[in-house]
Amino acid sequence: MVREELATFDDVEKQAWQLLDKSIIYYQGRPIGTVAAYDNSEGILNYDHCFVRDFVSSALLFLSKGKYDIVRNFLEETLKLQPTKNELDAYTPIRGLIPASFKVISTNGKESLEADFGEHAIARVTPVDSCLWWIIILHAYVKATKDINFALQPEFQQGIMLIMELCLATRFDMYPTLLVPDGACMIHRRLGIYGYPLEIQALFYAALRAARKLLICAGDEEIVIGIDNRLPLLRDHIRHHYWIDMHRLNVIYRFKGEEYGQTAVNLFNIYPDSIRYADLAIWLPKYGGYLAGNVGPSQLDTRFFALGNLMAIISSLASEQQSQAIMNLIEEQWDDLVGEMPMKICFPAVEKEEYRIFTGCDPKNIPWSYHNGGSWPVLMWFLTAAAQKTGRISIAKRAIELAQARLGDDQWPEYYDGTKGLLIGKKAKKYQTWTITGFLLAKELMRNPDRLELISFAEFDLENASQACEL
Ligand code: GLC
């Protein structure tokens, strides 16, 4: 951080920048990432790793400040960790995967990187989001530096192709969405989000958009055609089948079940009795709506998931009208979705029998804590970016003010608990890097709204797709 610029910041921001500096991981003398948390108080577990998803806000911040080297090093080193061969061994990560996290280890004075593809993670969850985020970060890097040649290097082209193959080619089902196991994203513990969770679909869409621009743009390769085919199908599927507002709720409420064949309206055989439509009808504002958490066979998860909805706005997966409706909902149901700390990872929490079944009685995911309805300051930058994209700046301002008043004094906790986010998370780590960067990036987006371009996409237009390599 440049000294003159730092001088213009208030004390909370200054402290945040200093903490971010401390979180940087060096490998063979070069900066390559940031630790998840700089907290030595008790069992650090894997919080001394650099998580790919946690690094996103750090990366966007570094790029905004012209600190390109750390992001470039991160992209190069994580790419080297990507398996390029299929071992046909159940315990080996599949070709194309990017690890959830990595750390530097030192043996006899020699440094190397140790990656975790989920094989060490609690509950051995698969980090599906990492490879999607990796492409999104690469795209942001190229946009910031205008160095398309970086992504055109053969190893990077191969890296993108392998991820695309993994997402587009090998699968059992025939939905345009991506089928994943539970805990495959930011929520990396069991929470009833297996199947087609919105967060993964929104990241998938953004990664497809990014890959389309980064792959050598001849337009006739099988993968490029696959991306062009998939993008509109995925977008329309989400806009139609995931959307919930009063109009749609009325349609769902009167759904007929057991429809067979081509003419079915209720394609996924959703039984209206499985939906809490009475609560929802009261909760949904007249001009508000949101994308459901998950849609699959006889499954419509009506929980609101923040990251998926906000990324859907940022990536233009949601239509312009839907994006405005999501922001209306956040504004009108502020107490539930933001409360005293931006913002809830999902709403409502699952309780009682649902908690027992969905989480397997996870003591960390008790109702209104951690992933199960906890409040995560990192989501503030997504909220600010979505507010910028939709021109709803007052929403971002209000959120940032709330956070600014508490985060520093509370020592930058990972998450908050309670229905309003008033309690510091029961098991939250302190000095959590993405809490710090989430706040700083939100501030940066407010000061320089053009930074939004690093991460956002305009409406997809198939006709112009072949010119897409102009970043
Ligand atoms: C948290 C989050 C996960 C994050 C990790 C490291 O438990 O659920 O998304 O990557 O810890 O911060």
Side-chain angles (χ1 to χ4, degrees):
M1 169 66 19
V2 209
R3 196 175 287 262
E4 300 84 73
E5 198 173 356
L6 200 56
T8 65
F9 293 160
D10 54 52
D11 288 347
V12 186
E13 260 183 291
K14 273 188 206 152
Q15 189 202 21
W17 278 109
Q18 280 152 6
L19 290 168
L20 177 59
D21 248 13
K22 273 196 0 196
S23 78
I24 295 176
I25 299 177
Y26 289 85
Y27 175 51
Q28 296 170 352
R30 300 147 67 222
I32 53 155
T34 46
V35 288
Y38 198 83
D39 179 346
N40 297 324
S41 52
E42 59 181 276
I44 190 75
L45 299 172
N46 49 356
Y47 282 83
D48 59 348
H49 282 224
C50 173
F51 280 74
V52 171
R53 73 174 73 86
D54 294 42
F55 186 68
V56 175
S57 40
S58 299
L60 294 173
L61 207 51
F62 289 133
L63 292 176
S64 300
K65 294 292 174 206
K67 285 193 159 195
Y68 303 140
D69 55 339
I70 181 167
V71 184
R72 188 177 55 245
N73 297 338
F74 167 89
L75 288 164
E76 283 171 354
E77 293 304 331
T78 42
L79 180 62
K80 286 183 204 154
L81 300 172
Q82 180 192 46
T84 51
K85 291 202 180 69
N86 272 340
E87 299 290 348
L88 296 186
D89 163 3
Y91 287 109
T92 310
I94 196 79
R95 184 167 81 167
L97 218 59
I98 296 282
S101 64
F102 62 86
K103 73 180 280 192
V104 179
I105 51 164
S106 186
T107 339
N108 302 328
K110 207 171 171 276
E111 282 185 346
S112 59
L113 291 184
E114 189 180 77
D116 181 10
F117 288 86
E119 71 273 39
H120 303 295
I122 293 165
R124 305 297 183 261
V125 282
T126 317
V128 179
D129 63 342
S130 287
C131 60
L132 306 173
W133 276 126
W134 186 86
I135 297 184
I136 296 168
I137 301 174
L138 174 61
H139 179 253
Y141 175 85
V142 171
K143 278 206 114 172
T145 57
K146 305 200 173 29
D147 180 11
I148 181 75
N149 289 330
F150 180 73
L152 295 182
Q153 297 174 86
E155 59 275 29
F156 275 84
Q157 290 289 304
Q158 174 181 277
I160 304 170
M161 290 289 270
L162 293 183
I163 297 170
M164 287 294 106
E165 264 172 37
L166 194 55
C167 296
L168 294 171
T170 318
R171 60 206 198 108
F172 281 114
D173 64 333
M174 288 186 290
Y175 295 174
T177 35
L178 213 55
L179 175 64
V180 300
D182 214 334
C185 50
M186 174 182 181
I187 297 177
H188 63 162
R189 284 178 180 231
R190 195 175 138 198
L191 199 71
I193 58 162
Y194 51 85
Y196 306 87
L198 179 65
E199 176 174 332
I200 288 290
Q201 313 315 323
L203 296 181
F204 181 33
Y205 187 75
L208 286 174
R209 296 291 309 268
R212 184 61 183 81
K213 293 192 175 189
L214 296 173
L215 281 170
I216 296 167
C217 303
D220 54 0
E221 300 88 347
E222 209 183 336
I223 287 287
V224 172
I225 295 170
I227 296 175
D228 282 348
N229 287 341
R230 193 68 165 268
L231 274 169
L233 295 178
L234 175 62
R235 179 195 60 195
D236 297 348
H237 181 97
I238 299 286
R239 287 183 184 179
H240 184 67
H241 296 294
Y242 281 62
W243 186 245
I244 301 178
D245 61 6
M246 267 320 284
H247 171 74
R248 184 75 187 146
L249 192 63
N250 269 299
V251 175
I252 296 168
Y253 178 60
R254 290 166 61 85
F255 262 166
K256 289 201 279 292
E258 320 291 331
E259 291 174 303
Y260 176 78
Q262 300 282 333
T263 54
V265 177
N266 180 5
L267 278 193
F268 298 99
N269 197 36
I270 309 295
Y271 294 108
D273 282 353
S274 68
I275 314 273
R276 294 203 182 108
Y277 42 78
D279 294 345
L280 263 179
I282 294 169
W283 193 67
L284 277 170
K286 194 168 173 194
Y287 298 107
Y290 66 103
L291 295 164
N294 212 321
V295 175
S298 295
Q299 186 199 13
L300 173 65
D301 183 343
T302 57
R303 279 176 290 173
F304 174 94
F305 287 86
L307 202 162
N309 271 282
L310 297 173
M311 262 316 273
I313 295 176
I314 297 165
S315 65
S316 289
L317 170 58
S319 70
E320 176 61 41
Q321 211 182 355
Q322 289 175 337
S323 299
Q324 290 295 339
I326 295 169
M327 297 310 279
N328 289 344
L329 177 73
I330 294 172
E331 199 162 42
E332 300 218 14
Q333 293 299 0
W334 187 267
D335 277 358
D336 286 340
L337 299 177
V338 182
E340 297 298 322
M341 177 54 68
M343 81 176 276
K344 285 254 164 285
I345 191 168
C346 69
F347 178 87
V350 284
E351 303 187 76
K352 300 183 182 134
E353 199 55 7
E354 261 186 348
Y355 156 73
R356 202 177 65 76
I357 297 168
F358 279 9
T359 74
C361 292
D362 185 343
K364 216 170 161 182
N365 269 333
I366 52 170
W368 308 109
S369 184
Y370 197 45
H371 300 145
N372 187 13
S375 305
W376 291 68
V378 62
L379 295 170
M380 202 182 348
W381 83 258
F382 292 91
L383 180 62
T384 307
Q388 293 282 5
K389 182 108 194 298
T390 49
R392 308 288 290 270
I393 309 301
S394 58
I395 296 182
K397 270 198 190 139
R398 195 174 161 196
I400 295 171
E401 266 165 36
L402 283 173
Q404 169 124 12
R406 295 176 65 198
L407 287 180
D409 288 346
D410 293 349
Q411 300 175 319
W412 309 92
E414 182 184 11
Y415 62 95
Y416 285 79
D417 285 356
T419 50
K420 303 279 174 279
L422 282 165
L423 302 160
I424 297 175
K426 208 184 219 354
K427 301 206 170 154
K429 290 273 170 290
K430 299 284 183 73
Y431 302 106
Q432 181 82 16
T433 304
W434 70 359
T435 296
I436 296 164
T437 49
F439 168 72
L440 288 176
L441 184 54
K443 288 277 211 177
E444 176 67 18
L445 283 162
M446 293 301 276
R447 282 200 191 100
N448 298 305
D450 57 325
R451 304 285 193 251
L452 180 63
E453 281 180 24
L454 296 179
I455 188 82
S456 68
F457 294 87
E459 180 76 27
F460 178 66
D461 176 359
L462 189 56
E463 304 237 308
N464 295 326
S466 55
Q467 298 154 19
C469 41
E470 290 162 28
L471 283 155

